Amino acid sequence: MPLHVPPAPAPALRSVLTALSSPTAVREARTPSLLRAQGPATPELPLPVHVLDRVTAEGVSATRLAGWRFLIRIGDRAVAAAETMLTPDGWAFSRFFEGPYITSTERALRQAETMPQPYQPRLLSVPGLYMLTLWLHEDCTADGAVGHPAATDLLVPLAPAPPGIAAHRPHRVAELLPVLTHRVTPTRLLGSPA
């Protein structure tokens, strides 16, 4: 089933396009793939990045939108990512980066496209475990910038995943959330950086 990628805010996309056209922003990004790029770099697959701030005793998660991530494609593959963040003046470019989460995100998205049910893809960061997951939200019509993981949504840990959690294995939120809750102490989870 096709994924229903939520639309990114137009100012977020514009800020990434502006950064991509800026030799200074690309040069200072320390992303060799962008520096060596032959051909145009295109931002694709905007995914809202949510942060898991805490889990209540009842197992309900509290998340917040931290930004939007765009995969940067050159030719037929993603070579980097760009992140935006919300500032008092609106959406602004934050940074370019590369590394294992780029290919892992692409792999998880391809895996999700083969599932029989349609989903809305998002990213969910668990800072206390240095963990990033592809969050497959069942409500494809929802605003990608808001909401909490539903018990029946899927979380796909991206590689590298924390020890004991298999990367690229889809888990229902109701199954994985208790594991995460026990592995991250409440004070660490509450005080974790974004």
Side-chain angles (χ1 to χ4, degrees):
M1 270 304 199
L3 295 175
H4 297 270
V5 178
L13 176 58
R14 277 195 304 272
S15 73
V16 170
L17 290 169
T18 300
L20 279 171
S21 66
S22 165
T24 304
V26 171
R27 189 174 50 251
E28 292 178 358
R30 295 189 181 102
T31 52
S33 297
L34 285 178
L35 289 171
R36 292 189 307 261
Q38 299 295 320
T42 308
E44 295 182 351
L45 290 168
L47 298 173
V49 180
H50 294 262
V51 175
L52 181 66
D53 280 328
R54 63 184 166 82
V55 179
T56 67
E58 298 79 33
V60 177
S61 60
T63 61
R64 62 181 164 79
L65 181 67
W68 285 80
R69 180 174 296 176
F70 298 77
L71 293 181
I72 304 300
R73 186 166 304 282
I74 297 175
D76 63 345
R77 66 185 195 99
V79 298
E83 284 196 350
T84 62
M85 63 182 190
L86 190 58
T87 69
D89 295 325
W91 288 100
F93 170 75
S94 175
R95 67 187 180 119
F96 289 118
F97 65 95
E98 57 187 53
Y101 284 130
I102 308 302
T103 55
S104 187
T105 301
E106 273 196 309
R107 177 180 169 187
L109 287 166
R110 281 192 309 271
Q111 181 181 358
E113 286 175 340
T114 66
M115 295 179 177
Q117 178 177 342
Y119 289 100
Q120 182 189 80
R122 303 170 177 199
L123 294 172
L124 181 66
S125 173
V126 185
L129 292 176
Y130 300 100
M131 179 179 182
L132 185 64
T133 69
L134 178 64
W135 167 15
L136 298 172
H137 192 51
E138 282 189 323
D139 184 356
C140 295
T141 62
D143 179 349
V146 296
H148 304 287
T152 55
D153 286 353
L154 295 177
L155 296 177
V156 182
L158 300 180
I165 297 176
H168 297 286
R169 181 177 171 267
H171 301 269
R172 293 260 177 233
V173 167
E175 298 167 359
L176 189 57
L177 208 53
V179 173
L180 301 180
T181 303
H182 292 297
R183 294 189 80 185
V184 179
T185 60
T187 53
R188 278 184 58 205
L189 196 55
L190 286 173
S192 297

